[in-house]
Amino acid sequence: MGTVHDFLFAPFIDFGFMQRALFGALLLCLSSCPMGVFLMLRRMSLTGDAMAHAILPGAAVGFLFYGLQIVPMTIGGLIAGVVVALGAGAVSRLTIQKEDASMAAFYLISLALGVLIVSIRGSNVDLMHVLFGTVLALNNDALTLIALICGITLVLLAIFWRALVAECMDPLFLRSVSRLGTPVHFVFLGLVVLNLVGGFQALGTLLSVGLMMLPAAAARFWCSRVGTMCLVATAIGMAASVVGLLLSYHLSLPSGPAIILSAGVAYLLSMIFGTRGVVQDRMRRYRHRTA
């Protein structure tokens, strides 16, 4: 009994940095995992990855002038994310290039520019902090920011829930019966950027999208209703956060990658054993052939 307590509970009871890391990760799951579900249903999963890279130069400019300060890096990341989203959208509408290609071009430029800016001012340690985050070093300011982003996201999701679900299923129908189509799309993109900025504080620009997309992709193998999928994705993200932090503590692993890899294991298990996964699909086909 004592061993189980020491392994599962003692790290979160005895150490304040583990408590803050857990609280921050759970808050991120509450807001970012539902956003991942909507990205997946809109077939915009790689857009989320592109947006995660897009915030880097803005955060890097904040770092260049103020160091590792939360507010300047957050504001810079938000501005850069919005500029890249609008820029990619404008290119796709004003030229022959599709939005996925323009988004890829913008995010590659943003990634290179951000790394260059961080390298000018900081060391390799600073670069690793910006790219991969330090969830075990979350302070009260970072937790306040993440909590604020979580609150804004949940409130706006509740307000625009029906429109968001409708746009996932049939965006043309939503635009034909309501004027909310375009505004909801931009609200959604704003929430994606906001959650990536929140995830950036804990997991860095390269891993923040992992906590958004992997639990959502795993949840798809367990259910088909959007609301249930959001709940399952959030539960998987929270479980992955707890497991990742425990592995990080006991095995001295980097915390961010440990959390994302835990979510990756959950995805693989869901793909194989989920109610809509490989095993169940094969069993249904076998029963259908033998019926």
Side-chain angles (χ1 to χ4, degrees):
M1 186 67 179
T3 304
V4 174
H5 177 273
D6 292 342
F7 185 84
L8 294 179
F9 303 109
F12 299 117
I13 294 173
D14 297 339
F15 299 102
F17 70 91
M18 288 291 288
Q19 295 170 10
R20 288 191 294 273
L22 179 62
F23 184 55
L26 295 183
L27 283 175
L28 283 174
C29 291
L30 270 178
S31 59
S32 64
C33 290
M35 299 307 300
V37 169
F38 284 108
L39 277 172
M40 179 183 62
L41 293 177
R42 288 163 171 249
R43 295 179 175 86
M44 293 174 62
S45 301
L46 292 178
T47 300
D49 186 50
M51 294 305 300
H53 293 79
I55 67 175
L56 180 57
V61 170
F63 169 79
L64 185 65
F65 289 102
Y66 298 97
L68 292 171
Q69 299 292 320
I70 290 174
V71 174
M73 292 178 71
T74 298
I75 294 173
L78 278 172
I79 293 172
V82 170
V83 167
V84 168
L86 294 177
V91 168
S92 67
R93 284 164 177 77
L94 299 176
T95 70
I96 61 171
Q97 194 167 62
K98 300 292 186 182
E99 190 166 10
D100 60 338
S102 59
M103 185 69 77
F106 272 86
Y107 104 74
L108 288 169
I109 295 169
S110 299
L111 179 61
L113 181 61
V115 171
L116 183 65
I117 294 173
V118 175
S119 301
I120 291 173
R121 162 75 187 269
S123 63
N124 289 335
V125 174
D126 295 322
L127 181 60
M128 293 293 287
H129 172 89
V130 172
L131 292 178
F132 297 106
T134 51
V135 67
L136 294 181
L138 288 177
N139 55 26
N140 292 334
D141 291 338
L143 288 178
T144 301
L145 173 68
I146 293 171
L148 182 62
I149 290 172
C150 179
I152 292 172
T153 301
L154 294 179
V155 169
L156 290 179
L157 279 178
I159 294 173
F160 294 105
W161 177 265
R162 290 171 64 88
L164 285 168
V165 173
E167 195 183 26
C168 285
M169 304 308 170
D170 194 342
L172 293 178
F173 172 76
L174 178 64
R175 292 188 179 96
S176 67
V177 300
S178 172
R179 295 180 179 178
L180 285 176
T182 301
V184 163
H185 181 69
F186 283 106
V187 167
F188 173 73
L189 287 179
L191 288 177
V192 171
V193 172
L194 203 60
N195 278 273
L196 288 172
V197 169
F200 159 77
Q201 302 296 335
L203 300 170
T205 58
L206 296 186
L207 295 178
S208 58
V209 72
L211 195 60
M212 184 178 286
M213 295 311 309
L214 282 171
R220 188 72 182 270
F221 291 111
W222 293 100
C223 49
S224 57
R225 296 179 64 87
V226 179
T228 308
M229 210 180 296
C230 289
L231 293 175
V232 172
T234 301
I236 291 173
M238 289 181 171
S241 298
V242 173
V243 171
L245 287 172
L246 287 173
L247 290 175
S248 172
Y249 176 80
H250 291 293
L251 301 179
S252 299
L253 299 174
S255 52
I259 291 173
I260 303 306
L261 283 175
S262 298
V265 170
Y267 168 77
L268 293 175
L269 292 174
S270 299
M271 179 182 65
I272 297 170
F273 299 109
T275 55
R276 307 176 72 200
V278 174
V279 173
Q280 290 293 326
D281 181 61
R282 293 297 174 88
M283 290 177 65
R284 281 191 293 269
R285 291 184 183 183
Y286 176 77
R287 286 195 295 265
H288 179 72
R289 285 197 302 266
T290 56

